Amino acid sequence: MNKFFGLPLFAISALILGGCGFGKGPQGDLVGAEDRPEFNPQEVPFGMVPCPGGTFHMGQTDQDISASMVNMNKQVTIAGFYMDETEITNNEYRQFMNAIRQDSIDVLGEEYVMTELYPDTTVWVRDFTYHMGDPLMEYYYTHPAFDDYPVVGVDWFAAKYFCNWRTKHKNAAQEEVGLAANPNFRLPSEAEWEYAARGGRDLATYPWGGPYLRNSKGCMLANFKPGRGDYASDGYAYTSPVGAFFPNDFGLYDMSGNVAEWCDDAYMEASVPVVWDMNPTNPDDNEPRKVVRGGSWKDIAYFLETGTRNFEYQDSSRSFIGFRTAMIQIGMGTNSRLN
């Protein structure tokens, strides 16, 4: 029987041309599409550290002192990702603001840029009553003395806009040299944040592993509020420069204390039993409360615990909330670690 019987003429022509060497490959083999961008093994993005994927118990590791019942233990799996080594600093955010004001002011409008993206320095006065916050309001973001301190006064929307800008900024440079685009920079999911904070230590109360807030020499291990009216025992009355305390086992600094950090997830009291157990997340645009993790310079130790959940409204900026970004690892196994 003629094997071409019933085939249309254009299909027969394609078979003949492919067999004569006109198709891709020496014998018309299936070898993939041509002219794909070059993609070397994914490099660790500048300023980030790899968080190798794995399985851990997400949830509280100590007594639920508020009896909230919103973070019961649940075993979940997280794919590998990268996370900023430190919180985004004033000077890093200033690079973003300078670029926006230079390139996008005509499109976005100066009012939007200055009211929605520019850090709200008045938080140092508004967040606390009977508090002399004027010096910080004047100098914290603008003075070079605070360049390496975490940016604050940035709401959830501004943090997301920063992630979008950073993605475009990096991938424009990738395109110039003919490299494939990187995955997007983004806010970490709540599960990623907690997994990263533990640094590979399952059920660890704090990022450094132990249940104590001081090391063997009596030094504080984070920037927080050790006791009533005591903000300075850790060496800093307000925020500290990023990286001032020891990192966890992943090499991440300030996962507890200094400033709390925005996560991508919407806050839901019942999220633990509801979300999936593989890369769990809760994206809900109709929920104005967004997850905040890690505790800050003004918080007691309970909020520094890796399993403590908290939230803030997405359009609220605070003197004690900042952020860091994350990026998924691609083209490798779940448990990959890049050096």
Side-chain angles (χ1 to χ4, degrees):
M1 178 183 291
N2 189 332
K3 62 181 179 180
F4 297 130
F5 179 75
L7 290 176
L9 181 60
F10 72 85
I12 297 174
S13 300
L15 287 171
I16 295 173
L17 290 173
C20 295
F22 289 95
K24 189 177 188 304
Q27 300 297 328
D29 297 325
L30 184 66
V31 294
E34 296 179 332
D35 300 326
R36 298 288 292 153
E38 181 181 354
F39 183 77
N40 297 320
Q42 190 177 5
E43 296 181 353
V44 179
F46 182 79
M48 291 183 139
V49 297
C51 299
T55 299
F56 81 113
H57 290 85
M58 183 176 178
Q60 65 193 56
T61 59
D62 204 347
Q63 180 182 4
D64 184 10
I65 60 174
S66 61
S68 61
M69 303 289 288
V70 299
N71 204 17
M72 307 303 291
N73 290 114
K74 176 180 181 177
Q75 183 168 276
V76 300
T77 295
I78 302 295
F81 62 100
Y82 302 104
M83 181 173 273
D84 285 329
E85 186 177 29
T86 69
E87 294 139 342
I88 296 299
T89 66
N90 282 323
N91 209 32
E92 289 171 334
Y93 199 84
R94 186 173 295 107
Q95 180 184 355
F96 158 65
M97 284 305 309
N98 289 345
I100 292 297
R101 295 169 77 174
Q102 179 178 344
D103 301 331
S104 304
I105 197 76
D106 293 336
V107 177
L108 298 175
E110 186 171 0
E111 181 179 358
Y112 176 84
V113 171
M114 298 306 295
T115 59
E116 300 296 329
L117 301 181
Y118 193 86
D120 183 0
T121 59
T122 65
V123 293
W124 292 106
V125 175
R126 290 190 295 102
D127 284 349
F128 314 105
T129 57
Y130 298 100
H131 165 251
M132 191 178 68
D134 294 55
L136 287 168
M137 180 177 67
E138 183 175 356
Y139 298 116
Y140 185 79
Y141 178 67
T142 59
H143 199 281
F146 292 101
D147 276 357
D148 294 329
Y149 284 65
V151 67
V152 296
V154 174
D155 67 18
W156 185 80
F157 292 113
K160 297 270 284 186
Y161 203 104
F162 175 94
C163 294
N164 293 335
W165 167 83
R166 188 177 180 185
T167 299
K168 294 176 181 178
H169 180 66
K170 177 61 178 177
N171 285 337
Q174 293 283 100
E175 184 179 357
E176 286 183 1
V177 294
L179 296 178
N182 279 346
N184 292 340
F185 292 96
R186 55 182 174 77
L187 293 178
S189 70
E190 180 180 14
E192 285 177 329
W193 191 97
E194 184 172 328
Y195 178 75
R198 296 181 190 273
R201 296 174 180 260
D202 197 19
L203 297 175
T205 304
Y206 299 107
W208 46 88
Y212 304 109
L213 294 161
R214 297 177 183 265
N215 63 17
S216 59
K217 296 182 179 180
C219 300
M220 291 291 183
L221 294 168
N223 180 12
F224 69 112
K225 182 182 180 180
R228 180 168 299 188
D230 179 7
Y231 296 87
S233 290
D234 50 51
Y236 302 93
Y238 294 96
T239 58
S240 65
V242 297
F245 297 86
F246 292 114
N248 70 2
D249 288 353
F250 281 171
L252 296 165
Y253 293 87
D254 300 319
M255 294 301 288
S256 282
N258 211 11
V259 293
E261 300 173 15
W262 289 112
C263 293
D264 194 53
D265 297 40
Y267 184 83
M268 178 173 62
E269 289 81 354
S271 65
V272 174
V274 170
V275 298
W276 202 31
D277 55 2
M278 172 63 180
N279 285 333
T281 186
N282 179 33
D284 185 356
D285 292 337
N286 295 318
E287 173 55 71
R289 299 174 301 170
K290 303 303 180 185
V291 173
V292 172
R293 286 297 204 109
S296 74
W297 59 269
K298 71 154 191 71
D299 292 315
I300 61 174
Y302 169 73
F303 293 100
L304 271 64
E305 295 182 11
T306 55
T308 298
R309 303 183 71 214
N310 206 350
F311 71 87
E312 183 54 83
Y313 287 91
Q314 59 192 9
D315 59 354
S316 297
S317 54
R318 298 295 185 187
S319 61
F320 45 85
I321 298 178
F323 70 100
R324 70 180 82 206
T325 66
M327 175 192 288
I328 197 70
Q329 291 181 10
I330 58 175
M332 61 195 70
T334 301
N335 295 300
S336 296
R337 180 193 288 272
L338 294 184
N339 296 319

